[in-house]
Amino acid sequence: SQELEQSPQSLIVQEGKNLTINCTSSKTLYGLYWYKQKYGEGLIFLMMLQKGGEEKSHEKITAKLDEKKQQSSLHITASQPSHAGIYLCGAFSGGYQKVTFGIGTKLQVIP
Amino acid sequence: DTAVSQTPKYLVTQMGNDKSIKCEQNLGHDTMYWYKQDSKKFLKIMFSYNNKELIINETVPNRFSPKSPDKAHLNLHINSLELGDSAVYFCASSQVGRAQETQYFGPGTRLLVL
């Protein structure tokens, strides 16, 4: 079964700093989701990447899919306290419906 | 206008009890899911239904029984609750059942079994 490893597992940054979170798959990636989770809330969809080399942006968050490395990176520019939360990557490797999630990266942004 | 809603939000109960969690989506989606997020924050799929038909049934104890009365609702009934069932349970829905279809999540139900 597919496994996803996220790094780092935890991150504390000063407001205004840039940061990157990585998600590496044990199998070929057909597509990958990035979600954000805040305590007491469900997962908020950020973006989905399907094609190798695809890059998408949502406000100050950019994610890219590297098919060859079986990896995706999520980059936040000029982080703000509102970016704090747990970022989860979820991948599908073909087949019907099933999405496997990583353990998440907990981000704290210090004002 | 809540897209995917779950009730209750919190559930504290004794071991051995039977409980249900309800989920409703007003997005007109065909597919609904139940996920379990354990204390280590691992989010794992349990079940998915497509138009009231069971599609995915992961290795889950048969004490867990999903029920879909219609495609807008997917309820989760748990019999003989155990300590290890304590977790956050998330419901989600997507337009159709392909993994490429974005899943929209509910706020979660925090279950604590004492």
Side-chain angles (χ1 to χ4, degrees), chain B residues 28-62:
Chain B
H29 287 166
D30 287 339
T31 305
M32 296 184 73
Y33 311 81
W34 276 110
Y35 285 86
K36 178 181 179 181
Q37 189 176 43
D38 61 25
S39 57
K40 295 182 181 179
K41 300 297 182 186
F42 258 121
L43 187 66
K44 290 186 179 178
I45 190 164
M46 300 172 69
F47 304 102
S48 80
Y49 270 73
N50 188 48
N51 273 323
K52 302 194 295 176
E53 183 185 346
L54 182 65
I55 301 296
I56 292 176
N57 185 355
E58 291 294 286
T59 309
V60 176
N62 57 14

Side-chain angles (χ1 to χ4, degrees), chain A residues 80-104:
Chain A
Q80 299 169 358
S82 61
H83 287 127
I86 299 172
Y87 289 82
L88 287 150
C89 63
F92 49 95
S93 56
Y96 191 66
Q97 295 188 306
K98 188 175 173 181
V99 176
T100 300
F101 284 90
I103 199 169

Side-chain angles (χ1 to χ4, degrees), chain B:
Chain B
D1 288 347
T2 305
V4 182
S5 59
Q6 294 178 230
T7 53
K9 198 166 181 180
Y10 299 96
L11 185 53
V12 181
T13 188
Q14 297 286 336
M15 218 165 46
N17 285 349
D18 302 338
K19 290 292 177 186
S20 291
I21 306 172
K22 295 185 177 181
C23 178
E24 178 181 0
Q25 54 95 3
N26 62 7
L27 297 167
H29 287 166
D30 287 339
T31 305
M32 296 184 73
Y33 311 81
W34 276 110
Y35 285 86
K36 178 181 179 181
Q37 189 176 43
D38 61 25
S39 57
K40 295 182 181 179
K41 300 297 182 186
F42 258 121
L43 187 66
K44 290 186 179 178
I45 190 164
M46 300 172 69
F47 304 102
S48 80
Y49 270 73
N50 188 48
N51 273 323
K52 302 194 295 176
E53 183 185 346
L54 182 65
I55 301 296
I56 292 176
N57 185 355
E58 291 294 286
T59 309
V60 176
N62 57 14
R63 298 181 294 104
F64 290 78
S65 53
K67 283 186 175 54
S68 182
D70 55 63
K71 73 174 192 177
H73 295 84
L74 181 62
N75 303 324
L76 183 66
H77 188 75
I78 314 171
N79 288 326
S80 303
L81 278 156
E82 300 178 358
L83 295 176
D85 297 333
S86 296
V88 183
Y89 292 85
F90 286 101
C91 176
S93 72
S94 64
Q95 183 69 44
V96 292
R98 294 193 304 267
Q100 297 93 323
E101 295 291 332
T102 300
Q103 295 180 24
Y104 295 88
F105 284 77
T109 294
R110 280 143 192 83
L111 171 65
L112 178 61
V113 182
L114 303 174

